[in-house]
């Protein structure tokens, strides 16, 4: 049975939501500081006034509150409607079932995903060079590049950095210490195999796809990992920024953007920064060391 915490400084709101979850394993809290977050699968937080909504991790949080949420909030929101409890109940359960489904399909362990465009090859080289061959997790890369050029890029990187770098193949299983470059002109995503392994899927782009490979598609697919680090490097446009809200809604995610100081073109990192969801802004010569220092973990 799912363990659910209902948190609100308003006793009325706690009781209101509690009655909508009759039969579930529920604990009520009046103060967010009293909630031992790791013990609960789902936290339903009903703040009033201007209380901080960022006290709980997004990957298990449902916020019940009047009105629209701030644009920077990337989690699950249910409007608080006293006169329409059935609608509140329906939306809460929709999010609970979504969270449960996501958790059932989660891949254990972690991954690093990198997106880049103009100026990317040099920036990728700078980021990957400090990583040891024993790096603990796999790395997946979407570099805007035509077909065949990515094979040359992967071969070149493999010769000058410490970890293994290769162009990715369809249905290839991910291995730690290897960086997989999405083939130019294709779309690459990560999916869960029947035996719960991470498998690369390479597909033809849709006619409406602006980028192939797409950073957005790749980033959205790694949301199924237990934890992940995504890195947005130099490039024109905003590819990748559209996936960040979904990543923040999933389990542990750290988002890094290359700083204007080293980006050949600041478009992609800047678009990510403007979402308000980026955790670190670093020059490319510090990103690899940051990853090594963290052991590939957020």
């Amino acid at each position: 049975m799912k363990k659910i915490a209902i948190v609100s400084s308003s006793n009325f709101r706690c009781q209101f939501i509690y009655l909508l979850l009759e039969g579930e394993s529920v604990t009520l809290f009046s103060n967010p500081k009293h909630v031992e977050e790791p013990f609960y699968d789902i936290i339903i937080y009903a703040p009033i006034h201007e209380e901080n909504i960022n006290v709980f991790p997004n990957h298990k949080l449902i916020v019940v509150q009047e009105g629209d949420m701030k644009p920077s909030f990337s989690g699950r929101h249910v409007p608080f409607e006293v006169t329409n409890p059935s609608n509140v109940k329906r939306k809460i359960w929709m999010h609970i079932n979504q969270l449960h489904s996501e958790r059932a399909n989660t891949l254990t362990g972690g991954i690093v995903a990198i997106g880049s465009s103009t100026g990317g090859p040099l920036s990728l080289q700078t980021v990957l060079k400090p990583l040891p061959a024993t790096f603990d997790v796999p790395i997946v890369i979407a570099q805007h590049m035509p077909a065949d050029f990515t094979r040359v890029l992967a071969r070149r990187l493999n010769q000058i950095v410490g970890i293994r770098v290769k162009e990715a193949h369809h249905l290839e299983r991910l291995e730690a210490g290897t960086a997989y470059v999405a083939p130019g002109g294709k779309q690459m995503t990560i999916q869960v195999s029947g035996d719960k392994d991470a498998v690369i899927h390479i597909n033809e782009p849709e006619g409406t796809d602006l980028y192939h490979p797409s950073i957005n598609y790749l980033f959205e697919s790694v949301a199924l990992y237990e934890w992940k680090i995504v890195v947005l490097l130099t490039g024109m446009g905003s590819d990748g920024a559209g996936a960040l809200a979904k990543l923040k809604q999933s389990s542990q995610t750290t988002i890094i953007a290359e700083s204007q100081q080293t980006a050949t073109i600041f478009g992609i990192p800047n678009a990510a920064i403007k979402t308000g969801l980026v955790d670190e802004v670093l020059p490319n010569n510090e990103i690899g060391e940051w990853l090594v220092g963290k052991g590939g973990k957020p």
Side-chain angles (χ1 to χ4, degrees):
M1 180 176 284
K2 297 176 287 293
K3 295 185 69 176
I4 302 172
I6 299 174
V7 188
S8 182
S9 57
S10 163
N11 183 59
F12 171 76
R13 294 189 186 211
C14 269
Q15 294 298 329
F16 178 84
I17 297 169
Y18 174 75
L19 292 173
L20 302 180
L21 299 174
E22 185 177 0
E24 296 299 312
S25 175
V26 175
T27 307
L28 306 183
F29 295 91
S30 60
N31 190 330
K33 294 179 180 179
H34 296 161
V35 182
E36 295 184 73
E37 174 264 316
F39 292 101
Y40 294 93
D41 302 302
I42 294 163
I43 298 173
I44 301 175
Y45 185 28
I48 58 175
H49 308 306
E50 293 297 321
E51 294 179 53
N52 183 8
I53 62 172
N54 297 314
V55 292
F56 300 112
N58 274 353
H59 68 276
K60 57 175 67 174
L61 176 65
I62 300 170
V63 174
V64 180
Q65 189 178 39
E66 302 98 325
D68 295 329
M69 300 300 292
K70 295 179 180 178
S72 61
F73 178 69
S74 59
R76 299 161 180 85
H77 176 231
V78 176
F80 183 67
E81 303 172 278
V82 178
T83 57
N84 195 353
S86 61
N87 190 49
V88 178
K89 180 177 181 178
R90 178 182 63 82
K91 290 184 176 180
I92 287 175
W93 274 106
M94 176 187 72
H95 289 307
I96 288 175
N97 290 333
Q98 181 187 35
L99 284 165
H100 181 70
S101 175
E102 288 175 0
R103 195 164 290 123
N105 291 312
T106 295
L107 285 163
T108 57
I111 192 168
V112 174
I114 303 175
S116 54
S117 186
T118 310
L122 181 57
S123 207
L124 284 167
Q125 176 182 322
T126 303
V127 170
L128 296 178
K129 202 160 189 178
L131 306 185
T134 54
F135 194 64
D136 287 342
V137 297
I139 299 170
V140 289
I141 299 168
Q143 162 69 44
H144 293 168
M145 214 170 233
D148 298 327
F149 284 79
T150 45
R151 187 179 303 113
V152 175
L153 171 66
R155 188 183 304 125
R156 171 64 177 158
L157 289 172
N158 190 58
Q159 292 170 346
I160 57 181
V161 303
I163 63 169
R164 180 188 181 211
V165 184
K166 66 185 301 294
E167 188 178 53
H169 297 288
H170 186 55
L171 300 183
E172 188 172 10
R173 293 174 186 268
L174 294 180
E175 297 180 1
T178 300
Y180 301 85
V181 179
K186 308 287 186 181
Q187 297 295 16
M188 183 170 85
T189 58
I190 309 304
Q191 298 185 24
V192 184
S193 68
D195 51 3
K196 295 286 285 184
D197 277 342
V199 176
I200 292 171
H201 277 238
I202 307 293
N203 296 296
E204 294 296 327
E206 300 289 337
T208 56
D209 289 346
L210 182 59
Y211 303 108
H212 31 79
S214 162
I215 301 170
N216 273 333
Y217 285 177
L218 179 61
F219 279 13
E220 286 181 356
S221 74
V222 303
L224 52 79
Y225 268 86
E226 184 179 9
W227 55 264
K228 50 268 174 193
I229 300 169
V230 300
V231 182
L232 297 111
L233 299 178
T234 176
M236 189 179 298
S238 60
D239 193 18
L244 302 186
K246 179 178 178 179
L247 285 166
K248 282 294 188 180
Q249 285 178 4
S250 64
S251 54
Q252 300 177 64
T253 303
T254 298
I255 300 170
I256 301 173
E258 182 176 356
S259 68
Q260 190 169 10
Q261 174 186 343
T262 58
T264 303
I265 295 180
F266 194 45
I268 285 177
N270 193 38
I273 292 166
K274 286 180 177 178
T275 67
L277 300 173
V278 170
D279 300 292
E280 301 279 351
V281 179
L282 299 171
N284 59 24
N285 60 329
E286 293 183 14
I287 294 174
E289 296 293 347
W290 188 97
L291 293 172
V292 171
K294 293 286 186 177
K297 296 183 180 179

